[in-house]
Amino acid sequence: MALMITDECINCDVCEPECPNEAISQGEEIYEIDPNKCTECVGHYDTPQCVEVCPVDCIPKDPDHEESKDQLYDKYIKLTAS
Ligand code: SF4
Ligand code: SF4
């Protein structure tokens, strides 16, 4: 599953530079995760780096983007292929 940022986000900016897939960006009010780019850090790290650094724990799994570990790995391969 891709991850998502909830409205508890305090715009602290620390997650964005940690994402190896550049999936995190500043949205209109809070930071957002592009589900097409988020692999839960599969392929890069053992744990989601944004979750590791978020001080308010506002980055849960996105129930609208259910994916298996294999699908996340395929996404990682596609994102890093070019
Ligand atoms: S889990 Fe990893 S790939 Fe997904 S948004 Fe967070 S840092 Fe980026
Ligand atoms: S680390 Fe958490 S609180 Fe900070 S900008 Fe990212 S999602 Fe928002």
Side-chain angles (χ1 to χ4, degrees):
M1 277 190 240
L3 303 188
M4 59 180 282
I5 293 173
T6 72
D7 60 10
E8 287 164 80
C9 171
I10 55 169
N11 290 314
C12 72
D13 308 331
V14 302
C15 58
E16 194 242 323
E18 298 299 326
C19 180
N21 296 322
E22 296 184 359
I24 303 175
S25 61
Q26 172 80 68
E28 256 172 53
E29 291 181 7
I30 54 171
Y31 274 81
E32 296 173 345
I33 292 177
D34 180 347
N36 296 316
K37 291 185 178 174
C38 175
T39 64
E40 285 190 47
C41 286
V42 166
H44 290 284
Y45 300 103
D46 291 340
T47 53
Q49 298 298 290
C50 54
V51 175
E52 294 279 328
V53 297
C54 180
V56 293
D57 275 340
C58 67
I59 316 181
K61 288 178 191 269
D62 183 349
D64 290 335
H65 291 94
E66 211 161 316
E67 294 159 293
S68 69
K69 211 142 198 158
D70 284 348
Q71 286 172 306
L72 290 168
Y73 192 75
D74 284 347
K75 199 195 289 185
Y76 157 75
I77 295 290
K78 285 189 187 120
L79 285 169
T80 52
S82 54

Coordinates of all heavy atoms in Angstrom, one line a residue:
M1 N 0.8 -1.2 0.0 CA 0.0 0.0 0.0 C 0.9 1.2 0.0 O 1.8 1.3 0.7 CB -0.9 0.0 1.3 CG -2.1 -0.8 1.2 SD -3.2 -0.4 2.6 CE -3.3 -2.0 3.3
A2 N 0.5 2.2 -0.8 CA 1.1 3.5 -0.6 C 0.7 4.0 0.7 O -0.3 3.6 1.4 CB 0.6 4.4 -1.7
L3 N 1.5 5.0 1.2 CA 1.1 5.7 2.4 C 0.4 7.0 2.1 O 0.4 7.5 1.0 CB 2.4 5.9 3.3 CG 3.2 4.7 3.6 CD1 4.3 5.1 4.6 CD2 2.4 3.6 4.2
M4 N -0.2 7.6 3.2 CA -0.9 8.8 3.0 C -0.6 9.7 4.2 O -0.3 9.3 5.3 CB -2.4 8.6 2.8 CG -3.0 8.0 4.0 SD -4.8 7.7 3.9 CE -5.4 9.4 4.3
I5 N -0.7 11.0 4.0 CA -0.5 12.0 5.1 C -1.9 12.5 5.5 O -2.7 13.0 4.6 CB 0.4 13.1 4.6 CG1 1.8 12.5 4.4 CG2 0.5 14.2 5.6 CD1 2.8 13.5 3.7
T6 N -2.2 12.5 6.8 CA -3.5 12.9 7.3 C -3.4 14.4 7.6 O -2.3 15.0 7.7 CB -3.9 12.2 8.5 OG1 -3.1 12.6 9.6 CG2 -3.8 10.7 8.3
D7 N -4.6 15.0 7.9 CA -4.6 16.4 8.2 C -4.0 16.8 9.6 O -4.1 17.9 10.0 CB -6.1 17.0 8.1 CG -7.0 16.3 9.0 OD1 -6.6 15.5 9.9 OD2 -8.3 16.5 8.9
E8 N -3.5 15.8 10.3 CA -2.7 16.1 11.5 C -1.3 16.6 11.2 O -0.6 17.0 12.1 CB -2.6 14.8 12.4 CG -3.9 14.5 13.1 CD -3.9 13.1 13.6 OE1 -3.3 12.9 14.7 OE2 -4.4 12.1 13.0
C9 N -1.0 16.6 9.9 CA 0.4 17.1 9.5 C 0.5 18.5 10.0 O -0.3 19.3 9.8 CB 0.4 17.0 8.0 SG 1.9 17.8 7.2
I10 N 1.7 18.8 10.5 CA 2.0 20.1 11.0 C 3.0 20.9 10.1 O 3.6 21.9 10.5 CB 2.6 20.1 12.4 CG1 3.9 19.2 12.5 CG2 1.6 19.6 13.4 CD1 4.6 19.3 13.8
N11 N 3.2 20.4 8.8 CA 4.0 21.0 7.8 C 5.4 21.3 8.4 O 6.0 22.4 8.2 CB 3.4 22.3 7.4 CG 2.1 22.1 6.5 OD1 2.1 21.3 5.6 ND2 1.1 22.8 6.8
C12 N 6.0 20.3 9.0 CA 7.3 20.5 9.6 C 8.4 20.3 8.6 O 9.6 20.6 8.9 CB 7.5 19.5 10.8 SG 7.8 17.8 10.2
D13 N 8.1 19.8 7.4 CA 9.1 19.7 6.3 C 10.1 18.6 6.4 O 10.9 18.5 5.5 CB 9.9 21.0 6.1 CG 9.0 22.2 6.0 OD1 7.9 22.1 5.5 OD2 9.5 23.3 6.3
V14 N 10.1 17.8 7.5 CA 11.2 16.9 7.6 C 11.1 15.6 6.7 O 12.1 15.0 6.4 CB 11.5 16.4 9.1 CG1 11.8 17.6 10.0 CG2 10.4 15.6 9.6
C15 N 9.9 15.2 6.4 CA 9.7 14.0 5.6 C 10.1 14.1 4.1 O 10.7 13.2 3.6 CB 8.3 13.5 5.7 SG 7.0 14.7 5.1
E16 N 9.8 15.3 3.6 CA 10.0 15.4 2.1 C 11.4 15.1 1.6 O 11.5 14.3 0.7 CB 9.6 16.9 1.7 CG 9.4 17.1 0.3 CD 10.4 18.0 -0.3 OE1 10.7 19.0 0.3 OE2 10.9 17.8 -1.5
P17 N 12.5 15.6 2.2 CA 13.8 15.2 1.7 C 14.2 13.8 2.0 O 15.2 13.3 1.4 CB 14.7 16.2 2.5 CG 14.0 16.7 3.7 CD 12.5 16.6 3.3
E18 N 13.5 13.1 2.9 CA 13.8 11.7 3.3 C 13.3 10.7 2.2 O 13.8 9.6 2.2 CB 13.3 11.3 4.6 CG 13.8 12.2 5.8 CD 15.3 12.1 5.9 OE1 15.8 11.0 5.7 OE2 15.9 13.1 6.3
C19 N 12.4 11.1 1.4 CA 11.7 10.1 0.5 C 12.6 9.8 -0.7 O 13.0 10.7 -1.4 CB 10.4 10.7 0.0 SG 9.6 9.5 -1.2
P20 N 13.0 8.5 -0.9 CA 13.9 8.1 -1.9 C 13.2 8.2 -3.3 O 13.9 8.2 -4.3 CB 14.3 6.7 -1.6 CG 13.1 6.2 -0.8 CD 12.6 7.4 0.0
N21 N 11.9 8.3 -3.3 CA 11.2 8.3 -4.6 C 10.6 9.7 -5.0 O 9.9 9.8 -5.9 CB 10.0 7.3 -4.5 CG 10.5 5.9 -4.4 OD1 11.5 5.5 -5.0 ND2 9.8 5.1 -3.6
E22 N 10.9 10.7 -4.2 CA 10.4 12.0 -4.4 C 8.9 12.0 -4.5 O 8.3 12.6 -5.4 CB 11.0 12.7 -5.6 CG 12.5 12.9 -5.4 CD 13.2 13.6 -6.6 OE1 12.5 13.9 -7.6 OE2 14.4 13.9 -6.5
A23 N 8.3 11.2 -3.6 CA 6.8 11.0 -3.7 C 6.1 12.0 -2.8 O 4.9 12.2 -2.9 CB 6.4 9.6 -3.2
I24 N 6.9 12.7 -2.0 CA 6.3 13.7 -1.0 C 6.4 15.1 -1.5 O 7.5 15.5 -2.0 CB 6.9 13.6 0.4 CG1 6.8 12.1 0.9 CG2 6.2 14.5 1.4 CD1 7.5 11.9 2.2
S25 N 5.3 15.9 -1.5 CA 5.4 17.3 -1.9 C 4.5 18.1 -1.1 O 3.5 17.6 -0.5 CB 5.1 17.4 -3.4 OG 3.8 17.0 -3.6
Q26 N 4.7 19.4 -1.1 CA 3.9 20.3 -0.3 C 2.6 20.5 -1.1 O 2.6 20.9 -2.3 CB 4.6 21.7 -0.2 CG 3.7 22.8 0.4 CD 3.6 22.7 1.9 OE1 4.5 22.9 2.7 NE2 2.4 22.4 2.4
G27 N 1.4 20.2 -0.5 CA 0.1 20.4 -1.2 C -0.4 21.7 -0.8 O 0.3 22.6 -0.3
E28 N -1.7 21.9 -1.0 CA -2.3 23.2 -0.8 C -2.2 23.6 0.7 O -1.9 24.7 1.1 CB -3.7 23.3 -1.3 CG -3.8 24.1 -2.6 CD -5.2 24.0 -3.2 OE1 -6.2 24.2 -2.5 OE2 -5.3 23.6 -4.3
E29 N -2.5 22.6 1.6 CA -2.5 22.9 3.0 C -1.5 22.1 3.8 O -0.9 22.6 4.7 CB -3.9 22.7 3.6 CG -4.9 23.7 3.1 CD -6.3 23.6 3.7 OE1 -6.4 22.7 4.6 OE2 -7.2 24.2 3.2
I30 N -1.3 20.9 3.4 CA -0.4 20.0 4.1 C 0.4 19.2 3.0 O 0.1 19.3 1.9 CB -1.1 19.0 5.0 CG1 -2.2 18.2 4.2 CG2 -1.7 19.7 6.2 CD1 -2.8 17.0 4.9
Y31 N 1.4 18.5 3.5 CA 2.2 17.7 2.6 C 1.3 16.5 2.1 O 0.4 16.1 2.7 CB 3.4 17.2 3.3 CG 4.6 18.2 3.3 CD1 4.6 19.2 4.1 CD2 5.5 18.0 2.3 CE1 5.6 20.2 4.1 CE2 6.6 19.0 2.2 CZ 6.6 20.0 3.1 OH 7.6 21.0 3.0
E32 N 1.7 16.1 0.9 CA 1.0 15.0 0.2 C 1.9 13.9 -0.3 O 3.1 14.2 -0.6 CB 0.2 15.6 -1.0 CG -0.9 16.6 -0.6 CD -1.5 17.3 -1.9 OE1 -0.9 17.2 -3.0 OE2 -2.5 17.9 -1.7
I33 N 1.4 12.7 -0.5 CA 2.2 11.6 -1.0 C 1.5 11.2 -2.3 O 0.3 11.0 -2.4 CB 2.2 10.4 -0.1 CG1 3.0 10.8 1.2 CG2 2.8 9.2 -0.7 CD1 3.1 9.7 2.3
D34 N 2.3 11.1 -3.4 CA 1.9 10.6 -4.7 C 1.9 9.1 -4.6 O 2.9 8.5 -4.6 CB 2.8 11.1 -5.8 CG 2.4 10.6 -7.2 OD1 1.5 9.7 -7.3 OD2 2.9 11.2 -8.2
P35 N 0.7 8.5 -4.6 CA 0.6 7.0 -4.5 C 1.3 6.3 -5.7 O 1.6 5.1 -5.5 CB -0.9 6.7 -4.4 CG -1.6 7.9 -5.0 CD -0.7 9.1 -4.8
N36 N 1.5 7.0 -6.8 CA 2.1 6.3 -7.9 C 3.6 6.2 -7.7 O 4.3 5.5 -8.4 CB 1.8 7.1 -9.2 CG 0.4 7.0 -9.6 OD1 -0.2 6.0 -9.5 ND2 -0.2 8.2 -9.9
K37 N 4.1 7.0 -6.7 CA 5.6 7.0 -6.5 C 6.0 6.3 -5.2 O 7.1 6.0 -5.0 CB 6.1 8.4 -6.5 CG 6.1 9.1 -7.9 CD 6.8 10.4 -7.8 CE 6.8 11.1 -9.1 NZ 7.3 12.5 -9.0
C38 N 5.0 6.2 -4.2 CA 5.3 5.7 -2.9 C 5.4 4.1 -3.0 O 4.4 3.5 -3.4 CB 4.3 6.1 -1.9 SG 4.6 5.3 -0.3
T39 N 6.5 3.6 -2.6 CA 6.7 2.1 -2.5 C 6.8 1.6 -1.1 O 7.2 0.5 -0.9 CB 8.0 1.7 -3.2 OG1 9.1 2.2 -2.5 CG2 8.0 2.1 -4.7
E40 N 6.3 2.5 -0.1 CA 6.6 2.2 1.3 C 8.1 2.0 1.5 O 8.5 1.3 2.5 CB 5.8 0.9 1.7 CG 4.3 1.2 1.9 CD 3.7 0.0 2.6 OE1 4.2 -0.5 3.7 OE2 2.6 -0.5 2.1
C41 N 8.9 2.6 0.7 CA 10.3 2.5 0.7 C 10.8 1.1 0.3 O 12.1 0.9 0.4 CB 10.9 3.0 2.0 SG 10.8 4.8 2.2
V42 N 10.0 0.2 -0.1 CA 10.4 -1.1 -0.6 C 11.4 -0.9 -1.7 O 11.2 -0.1 -2.6 CB 9.2 -1.9 -1.1 CG1 9.7 -3.2 -1.9 CG2 8.4 -2.4 0.1
G43 N 12.5 -1.6 -1.7 CA 13.6 -1.5 -2.7 C 14.7 -0.6 -2.2 O 15.9 -0.7 -2.6
H44 N 14.4 0.4 -1.3 CA 15.4 1.4 -0.8 C 15.7 1.1 0.6 O 16.9 1.1 1.0 CB 14.9 2.8 -1.0 CG 14.7 3.3 -2.4 ND1 15.8 3.7 -3.1 CD2 13.7 3.5 -3.2 CE1 15.4 4.1 -4.3 NE2 14.1 4.0 -4.4
Y45 N 14.7 1.0 1.5 CA 15.0 0.8 2.9 C 14.0 -0.3 3.5 O 13.0 -0.6 2.9 CB 14.7 2.1 3.6 CG 15.5 3.3 3.2 CD1 15.0 4.3 2.3 CD2 16.8 3.4 3.6 CE1 15.8 5.3 1.9 CE2 17.6 4.5 3.2 CZ 17.1 5.4 2.3 OH 17.9 6.5 1.9
D46 N 14.4 -0.7 4.7 CA 13.5 -1.7 5.4 C 12.3 -1.1 6.0 O 11.3 -1.8 6.2 CB 14.3 -2.4 6.5 CG 15.4 -3.3 5.9 OD1 15.3 -3.7 4.7 OD2 16.4 -3.6 6.7
T47 N 12.3 0.2 6.3 CA 11.1 0.8 6.9 C 10.8 2.1 6.1 O 11.7 2.7 5.6 CB 11.4 1.2 8.4 OG1 12.6 1.9 8.4 CG2 11.6 -0.1 9.2
P48 N 9.6 2.5 6.1 CA 9.2 3.8 5.5 C 9.9 4.9 6.2 O 9.7 5.2 7.4 CB 7.7 3.8 5.7 CG 7.2 2.4 6.0 CD 8.4 1.8 6.7
Q49 N 10.7 5.6 5.4 CA 11.6 6.7 6.0 C 10.7 7.9 6.5 O 11.1 8.5 7.5 CB 12.6 7.2 5.0 CG 13.5 6.0 4.6 CD 14.4 5.5 5.7 OE1 15.2 6.2 6.3 NE2 14.1 4.3 6.2
C50 N 9.6 8.2 5.8 CA 8.8 9.3 6.2 C 8.2 9.0 7.6 O 8.1 9.9 8.4 CB 7.8 9.6 5.2 SG 6.7 8.2 4.7
V51 N 7.7 7.8 7.8 CA 7.1 7.4 9.1 C 8.2 7.5 10.2 O 7.9 8.0 11.3 CB 6.5 6.0 9.0 CG1 6.0 5.5 10.3 CG2 5.4 5.9 7.9
E52 N 9.4 7.1 9.9 CA 10.5 7.2 10.9 C 10.7 8.6 11.4 O 11.0 8.8 12.6 CB 11.8 6.7 10.2 CG 11.8 5.2 9.8 CD 12.1 4.3 11.0 OE1 12.8 4.7 11.9 OE2 11.5 3.2 11.0
V53 N 10.6 9.6 10.5 CA 10.9 10.9 10.9 C 9.7 11.8 11.3 O 9.9 12.8 12.0 CB 11.7 11.7 9.8 CG1 13.1 11.0 9.6 CG2 10.9 11.9 8.6
C54 N 8.5 11.4 11.0 CA 7.4 12.3 11.3 C 7.1 12.4 12.8 O 6.9 11.4 13.5 CB 6.1 11.7 10.6 SG 4.7 12.7 10.9
P55 N 7.2 13.6 13.3 CA 7.0 13.8 14.7 C 5.6 13.6 15.3 O 5.4 13.5 16.5 CB 7.5 15.3 14.9 CG 7.2 15.9 13.6 CD 7.4 14.9 12.6
V56 N 4.6 13.6 14.4 CA 3.2 13.5 14.9 C 2.5 12.2 14.4 O 1.3 12.1 14.6 CB 2.4 14.8 14.5 CG1 2.9 16.0 15.2 CG2 2.4 15.0 13.0
D57 N 3.3 11.3 13.8 CA 2.7 10.0 13.4 C 1.5 10.2 12.6 O 0.4 9.6 12.9 CB 2.4 9.2 14.7 CG 3.6 8.4 15.2 OD1 4.5 8.2 14.4 OD2 3.5 8.0 16.4
C58 N 1.6 11.0 11.5 CA 0.3 11.2 10.7 C 0.5 10.6 9.3 O -0.1 11.1 8.4 CB 0.1 12.7 10.6 SG 1.3 13.6 9.7
I59 N 1.3 9.5 9.2 CA 1.4 8.9 7.9 C 1.0 7.4 7.9 O 1.9 6.5 8.0 CB 2.9 9.0 7.4 CG1 3.4 10.5 7.6 CG2 3.0 8.7 5.9 CD1 4.8 10.7 7.1
P60 N -0.3 7.1 7.8 CA -0.7 5.7 7.8 C -0.7 5.1 6.4 O -0.4 5.8 5.4 CB -2.2 5.8 8.4 CG -2.6 7.2 7.9 CD -1.4 8.1 7.9
K61 N -1.1 3.9 6.3 CA -1.2 3.2 5.0 C -2.5 3.8 4.4 O -3.5 4.1 5.1 CB -1.4 1.7 5.2 CG -0.1 1.1 5.5 CD -0.3 -0.4 5.7 CE 1.0 -1.1 6.3 NZ 1.9 -1.6 5.4
D62 N -2.5 3.9 3.1 CA -3.6 4.5 2.3 C -4.6 3.4 1.9 O -4.2 2.6 1.0 CB -3.1 5.3 1.1 CG -4.2 5.9 0.3 OD1 -5.4 5.6 0.6 OD2 -3.9 6.8 -0.5
P63 N -5.7 3.2 2.5 CA -6.6 2.1 2.2 C -7.1 2.1 0.8 O -7.6 1.1 0.3 CB -7.8 2.2 3.2 CG -7.7 3.7 3.7 CD -6.3 4.1 3.6
D64 N -7.0 3.3 0.1 CA -7.5 3.3 -1.3 C -6.4 2.8 -2.2 O -6.6 2.8 -3.4 CB -7.8 4.8 -1.6 CG -9.1 5.2 -0.9 OD1 -9.9 4.3 -0.6 OD2 -9.3 6.4 -0.7
H65 N -5.2 2.5 -1.7 CA -4.1 2.1 -2.6 C -3.5 0.8 -2.1 O -2.3 0.8 -1.6 CB -3.1 3.2 -2.8 CG -3.6 4.3 -3.6 ND1 -4.1 5.4 -3.0 CD2 -3.7 4.5 -5.0 CE1 -4.6 6.3 -4.0 NE2 -4.3 5.7 -5.2
E66 N -4.3 -0.2 -2.0 CA -3.9 -1.5 -1.5 C -2.9 -2.2 -2.5 O -3.2 -2.3 -3.6 CB -5.0 -2.4 -1.2 CG -4.8 -3.3 0.0 CD -6.1 -3.9 0.5 OE1 -7.1 -3.1 0.7 OE2 -6.1 -5.1 0.8
E67 N -1.7 -2.6 -2.0 CA -0.7 -3.2 -2.8 C 0.1 -4.2 -2.0 O 0.3 -4.0 -0.8 CB 0.3 -2.2 -3.4 CG -0.3 -1.2 -4.3 CD 0.6 0.1 -4.5 OE1 0.7 0.8 -3.5 OE2 1.1 0.3 -5.5
S68 N 0.5 -5.3 -2.6 CA 1.3 -6.3 -1.9 C 2.8 -5.8 -2.0 O 3.1 -4.9 -2.7 CB 1.2 -7.7 -2.6 OG 1.8 -7.6 -3.9
K69 N 3.6 -6.5 -1.2 CA 5.0 -6.2 -1.2 C 5.6 -6.4 -2.7 O 6.4 -5.6 -3.1 CB 5.8 -7.1 -0.3 CG 7.0 -6.4 0.3 CD 7.2 -6.7 1.8 CE 8.2 -5.6 2.3 NZ 8.1 -5.4 3.6
D70 N 5.1 -7.5 -3.4 CA 5.6 -7.7 -4.7 C 5.2 -6.5 -5.7 O 6.0 -6.1 -6.5 CB 5.0 -9.0 -5.3 CG 5.7 -10.2 -4.7 OD1 6.8 -10.0 -4.1 OD2 5.2 -11.3 -4.9
Q71 N 4.0 -6.1 -5.5 CA 3.5 -4.9 -6.3 C 4.4 -3.7 -6.0 O 4.7 -2.9 -6.9 CB 2.1 -4.6 -6.1 CG 1.1 -5.7 -6.7 CD -0.3 -5.5 -6.3 OE1 -0.6 -5.4 -5.1 NE2 -1.2 -5.3 -7.3
L72 N 4.7 -3.5 -4.7 CA 5.5 -2.3 -4.4 C 6.9 -2.5 -5.0 O 7.5 -1.5 -5.4 CB 5.6 -2.2 -2.8 CG 4.3 -1.8 -2.1 CD1 4.4 -2.0 -0.6 CD2 3.9 -0.4 -2.4
Y73 N 7.4 -3.7 -5.0 CA 8.7 -3.9 -5.5 C 8.7 -3.7 -7.0 O 9.6 -3.0 -7.6 CB 9.3 -5.3 -5.2 CG 10.7 -5.5 -5.5 CD1 11.7 -4.9 -4.7 CD2 11.1 -6.1 -6.7 CE1 13.0 -5.0 -5.0 CE2 12.5 -6.2 -7.0 CZ 13.4 -5.7 -6.1 OH 14.8 -5.8 -6.4
D74 N 7.7 -4.1 -7.7 CA 7.5 -3.8 -9.1 C 7.5 -2.3 -9.4 O 8.1 -1.9 -10.4 CB 6.2 -4.5 -9.7 CG 6.3 -6.0 -9.8 OD1 7.5 -6.5 -9.8 OD2 5.3 -6.6 -10.0
K75 N 6.8 -1.6 -8.5 CA 6.7 -0.1 -8.7 C 8.1 0.5 -8.6 O 8.5 1.3 -9.3 CB 5.8 0.4 -7.7 CG 5.3 1.8 -8.0 CD 4.7 2.5 -6.8 CE 3.4 1.9 -6.4 NZ 2.7 2.7 -5.3
Y76 N 8.9 0.0 -7.6 CA 10.3 0.4 -7.4 C 11.1 0.2 -8.6 O 11.9 1.0 -9.1 CB 10.8 -0.3 -6.1 CG 12.4 -0.4 -6.1 CD1 13.1 0.8 -5.8 CD2 13.0 -1.5 -6.4 CE1 14.5 0.7 -5.8 CE2 14.4 -1.6 -6.4 CZ 15.1 -0.5 -6.1 OH 16.5 -0.5 -6.0
I77 N 11.0 -1.0 -9.2 CA 11.7 -1.4 -10.4 C 11.4 -0.4 -11.5 O 12.3 0.1 -12.2 CB 11.5 -2.8 -10.9 CG1 11.9 -3.8 -9.8 CG2 12.1 -3.1 -12.2 CD1 13.5 -3.9 -9.7
K78 N 10.1 -0.1 -11.7 CA 9.7 0.8 -12.8 C 10.2 2.2 -12.5 O 10.6 2.9 -13.4 CB 8.2 0.8 -12.9 CG 7.6 -0.5 -13.6 CD 6.2 -0.4 -13.9 CE 5.7 -1.8 -14.4 NZ 4.6 -2.3 -13.6
L79 N 10.1 2.7 -11.3 CA 10.5 4.0 -11.0 C 12.0 4.2 -11.1 O 12.5 5.3 -11.4 CB 10.2 4.3 -9.5 CG 8.7 4.6 -9.2 CD1 8.4 4.7 -7.7 CD2 8.3 5.9 -9.8
T80 N 12.8 3.1 -11.0 CA 14.3 3.3 -11.1 C 14.8 2.8 -12.4 O 16.0 2.8 -12.6 CB 15.0 2.5 -9.9 OG1 14.5 1.2 -9.9 CG2 14.7 3.1 -8.6
A81 N 13.9 2.4 -13.3 CA 14.4 1.8 -14.6 C 15.0 2.8 -15.5 O 15.9 2.5 -16.2 CB 13.2 1.1 -15.3
S82 N 14.5 4.0 -15.5 CA 15.0 5.0 -16.6 C 16.3 5.6 -16.3 O 16.8 5.5 -15.1 CB 13.9 6.1 -16.8 OG 13.7 6.7 -15.5
Ligands
SF4_1 S1 7.1 5.4 2.5 FE1 9.0 5.8 1.6 S2 8.5 6.0 -0.6 FE2 6.6 6.2 0.5 S3 6.3 8.4 0.8 FE3 7.4 7.6 2.6 S4 9.5 7.9 2.2 FE4 8.5 8.1 0.3
SF4_2 S1 7.0 14.7 8.8 FE1 4.8 14.5 9.3 S2 4.2 16.4 10.1 FE2 6.1 16.8 9.1 S3 5.5 17.5 7.0 FE3 5.8 15.3 7.0 S4 3.8 14.4 7.3 FE4 3.7 16.5 8.0

